Amino acid sequence: MLFILILCVCAYIKGDYVVLPDNLPINKNTVTVSGVSSGGAMAIQTHMAHSSIINGAAIYAAPPYYCAMGNLEVAMESCMKCESDPGSINVLELYLITLNTASLGFIDGVNHLMKDRVWLFTALNDSVVNSEAVHKTRDFYLKFLFHSSQLATVFNIEGEHAWATNKNSLKDCNFLGKPYINNCKHDFVGDFLNHILMSPHNMSLIAPTPQQAKNLFKFKQSLYTPISPSEEYGMHEDAYIYIPEQCQKVQSEKHCHLHVSFHGCLQNDEVVGEQFFRDTGLNEYAESNDLVILYPQAHSSKLNPNGCWDWWGYSGPQYASNVGLQIRTIKNLLDRLLINVN
Ligand SMILES: *[C@@H]1O[C@H](CO)[C@@H](O)[C@H](O)[C@H]1NC(C)=O
Ligand SMILES: *[C@@H]1O[C@H](CO)[C@@H](O)[C@H](O)[C@H]1NC(C)=O
């Protein structure tokens, strides 16, 4: 099957794995991220650490940047259940910490956030991450964006803790459980792609077309981790990338848009197989809109039995900064994909 791929990608095939290409026609000015739950927190961390590279973020059900302050108890109590004490997330304090972290060079300068676009989702009946936490994420981002219209929210949908999309094959929006991707009967993925990627560049989102199994590739994420063994800080050996055929050719015109999507807890390939990188609705838009979708993978371990991304410090106290081991891995992946784009 793999042999029918066009020439330039053929060169990269090694067994089941591809070598991550370094010559895709990617536009370096349209890099965006998304994620759900711990993956939403990871998307925010990656955005904050590298806002000079990333221009937009779509976040489902995640608290603001550095909410846990390196403490699991704070993560589970204040950041996830904050309804009982809505004041327990102090956005002003997180804002000041962020400014300080930026001034020390451990995240990019916050001026890079000024023109970015953010889309936030929380369902009314989310029993895992309270909606109030996501309202705080809104308040946090609004401190950095130039205009409030750069931030869009979906806070009024009945449903549970999940990535919300509109695929009929998925369970109803009120379902809580694997694969944590629900049919909420509205095209939220199209909405967020429009908001964070298309409308700021005056592009129109083209209707989704069927994804092609041959365009989903597995690669060795472990080649991009800063230290071995990477399992100790929650990075899986493998990860995935969806590259539509029209983005596989080496071309001078950089017409493709890189999007990084982070799964939530209990949502990596060890737990839900291929579901997160097949069923979120992203690949169909990748086909019709020239998107390259990177799906990094977290790994379960003793400190992190559910394979969550680190948003409380199991990988080390600097987990939320550009020296955090997980964020360094993501940066290495971005560098690889963008190295020949100038
Ligand atoms: C979800 O929450 C809304 C608002 O609090 C409530 O009106 C509705 O009954 C809840 N739905 C379910 C299924 O619990
Ligand atoms: C998009 O269009 C608006 C209105 O025509 C224009 O002011 C703006 O500069 C355009 N933005 C880009 C990125 O081309």
Side-chain angles (χ1 to χ4, degrees):
M1 277 304 283
L2 291 171
F3 285 129
I4 59 173
L5 291 172
I6 55 164
L7 254 180
C8 79
V9 172
C10 279
Y12 290 109
I13 306 288
K14 286 240 177 92
D16 275 352
Y17 295 94
V18 294
V19 175
L20 200 60
D22 62 357
N23 55 5
L24 302 178
I26 292 171
N27 181 338
K28 75 166 174 31
N29 298 315
T30 55
V31 181
T32 54
V33 294
S34 63
V36 54
S37 196
S38 79
M42 184 65 183
I44 294 171
Q45 288 170 184
T46 307
H47 184 204
M48 298 302 293
H50 294 294
S51 56
S52 64
I53 302 174
I54 295 162
N55 301 292
I59 309 297
Y60 288 93
Y65 178 66
Y66 205 55
C67 186
M69 299 187 185
N71 185 317
L72 179 60
E73 209 172 310
V74 175
M76 297 189 71
E77 292 303 319
S78 304
C79 300
M80 293 171 68
K81 300 179 188 155
C82 62
E83 187 182 38
S84 47
D85 178 10
S88 63
I89 298 177
N90 186 335
V91 171
L92 181 60
E93 185 181 8
L94 295 175
Y95 172 67
L96 295 173
I97 291 172
T98 302
L99 292 184
N100 191 45
T101 308
S103 74
L104 295 172
F106 287 109
I107 61 171
D108 279 350
V110 298
N111 57 306
H112 293 289
L113 294 160
M114 207 160 72
K115 290 185 171 169
D116 287 358
R117 309 273 292 196
V118 177
W119 182 94
L120 302 175
F121 179 99
T122 177
L124 291 170
N125 316 88
D126 191 319
S127 62
V128 179
V129 175
N130 193 280
S131 286
E132 190 61 37
V134 185
H135 300 174
K136 301 282 186 172
T137 306
R138 172 197 56 199
D139 298 345
F140 176 82
Y141 263 121
L142 284 175
K143 294 198 174 294
F144 300 98
L145 305 181
F146 180 70
H147 196 275
S148 58
S149 64
Q150 291 160 242
L151 185 136
T153 56
V154 181
F155 289 172
N156 59 351
I157 302 298
E158 267 194 45
E160 255 291 1
H161 187 71
W163 174 287
T165 181
N166 62 344
K167 267 193 194 174
N168 289 328
S169 57
L170 297 165
K171 296 213 168 74
D172 180 81
C173 206
N174 284 306
F175 178 70
L176 178 66
K178 292 173 208 166
Y180 300 98
I181 308 169
N182 283 350
N183 177 14
C184 296
K185 302 189 174 70
H186 180 85
D187 182 13
F188 293 109
V189 171
D191 283 1
F192 83 60
L193 287 173
N194 246 324
H195 181 75
I196 68 171
L197 175 62
M198 295 300 173
S199 64
H201 295 95
N202 290 344
M203 300 184 292
S204 310
L205 189 69
I206 298 165
T209 51
Q211 59 179 305
Q212 309 287 325
K214 67 179 172 61
N215 291 338
L216 180 69
F217 303 95
K218 179 159 84 166
F219 66 93
K220 288 270 181 210
Q221 184 175 253
S222 53
L223 292 173
Y224 300 90
T225 51
I227 310 173
S228 294
S230 58
E231 281 81 0
E232 282 180 10
Y233 50 91
M235 297 302 294
H236 191 33
E237 184 179 346
D238 303 334
Y240 302 83
I241 187 166
Y242 191 90
I243 315 175
E245 199 167 312
Q246 67 274 20
C247 295
Q248 293 175 16
K249 303 182 187 84
V250 180
Q251 282 162 310
S252 54
E253 198 215 335
K254 311 296 184 209
H255 60 97
C256 297
H257 312 291
L258 179 60
H259 181 81
V260 186
S261 193
F262 295 96
H263 62 74
C265 305
L266 294 172
Q267 219 176 23
N268 63 9
D269 64 343
E270 298 166 313
V271 181
V272 299
E274 300 195 323
Q275 282 181 286
F276 188 76
F277 41 89
R278 288 216 191 272
D279 288 345
T280 61
L282 279 169
N283 295 349
E284 289 83 351
Y285 276 114
E287 279 294 329
S288 53
N289 291 273
D290 299 359
L291 314 181
V292 173
I293 318 272
L294 177 66
Y295 294 104
Q297 294 287 303
H299 177 71
S300 312
S301 65
K302 223 178 229 170
L303 289 175
N304 174 36
N306 293 336
C308 305
W309 291 99
D310 187 9
W311 62 284
W312 66 90
Y314 71 76
S315 69
Q318 291 175 303
Y319 66 98
S321 79
N322 57 22
V323 294
L325 294 171
Q326 295 191 349
I327 291 178
R328 277 175 69 188
T329 306
I330 306 306
K331 176 63 164 42
N332 289 342
L333 293 169
L334 292 174
D335 286 348
R336 168 78 185 181
L337 290 163
L338 297 170
I339 189 168
N340 287 313
V341 182
N342 37 51

